[in-house]
Amino acid sequence: MSGNIRLLTDTLAAAKAEGRAALIAYLPAGFPTVDGGIDAVKAVLDGGADVVEVGLPHSDPVLDGPVIQTADDIALRGGVRIADVMRTVREASAATGKPVLVMTYWNPVDRYGVERFTAELAEAGGAGCILPDLPVQESALWREHAEKHGLATVFVVAPSSKDKRLAEITAAGSGFVYAASLMGVTGTRESVGTQAQNLVERTRATTGLPVCVGLGVSDAAQAAEVAGFADGVIVGSAFVKRMLDAPDHAAGVEAVRALAGELAKGVRGQA
């Protein structure tokens, strides 16, 4: 196992050894600007996130909600490029020594070239990639190059995934498994939380990989709740919303740093 993916697996193992879930943050590259996005990513890692996912902004982010779509739109209008995503990974990784992954839809990678993308991501110090819309049965080329460059390939599972399908997905993945669910509106959280917990249990039955949950978590109490059954708590929209709601860039950076600190307490059961 090369250094890039090892940093990720060691980080998740260290959180487990501490008897807690890992905190995984998400922010898109180029938002609100390339430099501003780098500041924000460093701030969430310094504030308490164990791992960060850097989003590659896409014009048709079908799996993202309105908050992340808004941020992607700002980044794209600002002219963000894949080179800027790689620079974000490089600077955040070098500054913090923590694992940085890229979360991207397949189309930009395919157009850029799989060999080129994986080589550049590894060279930038990236730990791997989350590919929410790449079907496992079409992933052989990606996995071959990711493995060659020591990158994790994180696939996404959903409550709708059947057990046989879960086993296929987890067998092909590395690093961790991203279990996607939704917290839902107030009043439905209890049932959706149960659904997410059930998905984690079903996924764990197929793999030894950590199972991390993206659930619409926005505060320390919710983070603590998800940390009770998952290996990692993934938070995206709440960080992006803090940046969008801030009066200026400096205030946004401090807001995401503070949120990371609150959520870090949550995953440690100190909420």
Side-chain angles (χ1 to χ4, degrees):
M1 195 185 290
S2 90
N4 296 43
I5 186 174
R6 180 177 283 122
L7 178 60
L8 175 64
T9 54
D10 286 354
T11 298
L12 294 172
K16 187 177 184 178
E18 289 176 21
R20 66 175 179 89
L23 174 61
I24 303 175
Y26 166 93
L27 280 168
F31 165 71
T33 61
V34 176
D35 287 344
I38 291 169
D39 290 344
V41 170
K42 287 180 184 173
V44 297
L45 287 167
D46 288 340
D50 298 290
V51 180
V52 77
E53 303 169 8
V54 172
L56 194 161
H58 189 47
S59 53
D60 186 25
V62 289
L63 299 171
D64 293 312
V67 171
I68 290 171
Q69 285 183 24
T70 300
D72 276 6
D73 188 51
I74 290 167
L76 290 166
R77 280 189 283 128
V80 71
R81 296 282 178 269
I82 287 179
D84 301 313
V85 178
M86 297 300 178
R87 185 183 146 216
T88 303
V89 171
R90 179 180 291 106
E91 295 197 19
S93 174
T96 65
K98 291 184 175 181
V100 181
L101 299 109
V102 167
M103 185 164 190
T104 179
Y105 293 94
W106 179 244
N107 182 259
V109 177
D110 193 35
R111 284 172 54 190
Y112 196 72
V114 174
E115 167 60 25
R116 182 182 174 200
F117 190 94
T118 51
E120 289 183 10
L121 181 56
E123 188 274 326
C129 221
I130 300 160
L131 298 154
D133 66 338
L134 176 63
V136 169
Q137 61 272 23
E138 294 169 25
S139 68
L141 179 68
W142 164 269
R143 285 186 288 131
E144 177 194 331
H145 288 291
E147 208 167 299
K148 183 168 103 179
H149 293 291
L151 298 169
T153 297
V154 178
F155 287 114
V156 178
V157 298
S160 57
S161 306
K162 301 282 188 283
D163 290 349
K164 182 173 179 288
R165 180 83 181 133
L166 282 177
E168 288 169 6
I169 294 169
T170 59
S174 56
F176 65 91
V177 182
Y178 189 127
S181 192
L182 291 169
M183 196 65 93
V185 294
T186 310
T188 64
R189 229 182 83 209
E190 190 178 329
S191 62
V192 178
T194 307
Q195 188 181 38
Q197 188 166 354
N198 176 255
L199 176 59
V200 170
E201 287 166 4
R202 289 172 53 224
T203 305
R204 279 194 181 136
T206 71
T207 183
L209 291 172
V211 183
C212 304
V213 173
L215 239 179
V217 166
S218 60
D219 61 33
Q222 291 172 353
E225 188 183 326
V226 176
F229 60 82
D231 298 301
V233 180
I234 302 167
V235 182
S237 295
F239 283 113
V240 176
K241 192 169 187 314
R242 291 277 178 114
M243 293 288 291
L244 286 169
D245 290 349
D248 56 51
H249 173 60
V253 170
E254 287 316 305
V256 294
R257 188 193 309 274
L259 178 59
E262 293 162 25
L263 294 167
K265 286 181 181 171
V267 299
R268 287 167 172 82
Q270 300 160 352

